[in-house]
Amino acid sequence: MTQRQRLGVNIDHVATIRNARGGTHPDPVEAALLAVKAGADGITAHLREDRRHIRDEDLIRLSNTLRAPLNMEMAATEEMVALACKLKPNACCIVPERREEVTTEGGLDVAGQMETLSPMIRKLRESGIRVSLFVDPDPEQIAASAAVGAAVVELHTGAYAHGKDGELARLKAAARQAAGLELEVHAGHGLSFGNVAPVAAIPEIVELNIGHFLIGQAIFDGLPAVVQEMRRLMDAARANLSV
């Protein structure tokens, strides 16, 4: 039987809407609980250095309230490592981060930052936190991710989502390579109802992390319905692997 693929829901943009007006509504923690009730297997939240959406107190409340796994996205900085070691989420996904960017624009240059990343990953692992690295589907970056001690790679699906030729094949090859290096394989960025199935059908990918589309579509359909439909599409794609 094909392994059930996990769905992680990123609740950053619930906080974006809250912060646009100030106050406490809508509450990203409430959204997280609703997403899990609707079928999400975990929750992702990105604590950016500029705190443009998720804030420290959101992560504290998530840590204290959530019963599903919490994945903290973060930049490779001493501040973020210290916060993660204090909060002890189930996992940390290290992502590239630039203050002027609208959203994460590409994968982490693991191969070029091995000396910086290795001690940070070691600290996180010593605190009992699984470490994921958000990387482009590039052989050099995947090999470097294994070399620095990551447990997981999350493949950046942005180029695929934008329709770039050959990207699905690159994702498939990267997933095979990562699994061969005993890395758990996740994927995310830009996935939607319309493009998720081919990625969900890659056998080595055990988790998809999806945020912006789900929160945006929830405006029209409601968060539970949107999570349930994404869950249905993923399950259907996986079921086809057994046929």
Side-chain angles (χ1 to χ4, degrees):
M1 181 178 289
T2 304
Q3 181 183 14
R4 183 178 187 269
Q5 194 172 54
R6 299 191 298 266
L7 170 61
V9 174
N10 185 313
I11 46 94
D12 290 352
H13 295 299
V14 177
T16 299
I17 297 169
R18 175 198 63 191
N19 297 351
R21 190 77 177 262
T24 60
H25 181 77
D27 180 9
V29 177
E30 183 179 353
L33 296 172
L34 196 61
V36 171
K37 187 176 181 181
D41 299 288
I43 296 297
T44 292
H46 183 177
L47 185 66
R48 294 183 65 102
E49 290 185 272
D50 60 12
R51 309 310 199 260
R52 69 173 63 167
H53 37 60
I54 294 296
R55 297 170 179 164
D56 299 58
E57 56 267 28
D58 295 324
L59 274 178
I60 292 168
R61 291 174 57 228
L62 284 166
S63 297
N64 292 336
T65 306
L66 199 62
R67 295 294 172 262
L70 174 61
N71 175 37
M72 175 182 169
E73 287 190 350
M74 53 178 264
T77 68
E78 293 296 341
E79 178 202 14
M80 290 299 160
V81 170
L83 279 169
C85 289
K86 182 179 180 181
L87 291 171
K88 297 191 186 310
N90 298 82
C92 283
C93 183
I94 300 177
V95 301
E97 189 175 306
R98 295 190 301 115
R99 285 183 181 269
E100 64 271 23
E101 70 187 358
V102 175
T103 185
T104 304
E105 295 174 344
L108 190 68
D109 181 15
V110 182
Q113 301 179 61
M114 294 179 71
E115 290 186 7
T116 300
L117 289 169
S118 292
M120 292 184 178
I121 292 170
R122 186 166 56 251
K123 286 181 183 178
L124 292 167
R125 291 179 61 180
E126 288 171 353
S127 290
I129 300 168
R130 296 190 80 207
V131 180
S132 173
L133 301 178
F134 185 75
V135 298
D136 290 325
D138 175 83
E140 182 183 16
Q141 300 301 337
I142 291 166
S145 298
V148 295
V152 182
V153 288
E154 181 166 335
L155 300 178
H156 179 220
T157 55
Y160 160 79
H162 284 103
K164 186 176 179 181
D165 288 343
E167 283 303 307
L168 184 61
R170 286 186 73 207
L171 288 167
K172 290 178 178 179
R176 287 193 298 269
Q177 178 192 2
L181 292 170
E182 299 185 348
L183 292 164
E184 186 169 295
V185 188
H186 301 177
H189 201 81
L191 297 178
S192 67
F193 290 160
N195 63 26
V196 72
V199 178
I202 298 173
E204 295 85 0
I205 296 178
V206 302
E207 180 174 309
L208 298 181
N209 286 299
I210 306 173
H212 184 268
F213 172 80
L214 293 178
I215 302 307
Q217 192 64 29
I219 294 171
F220 305 104
D221 300 332
L223 187 58
V226 170
V227 171
Q228 289 163 6
E229 176 62 7
M230 187 61 77
R231 174 79 272 161
R232 185 191 70 77
L233 291 168
M234 290 167 58
D235 289 345
R238 301 295 278 190
N240 290 336
L241 297 179
S242 302
V243 175

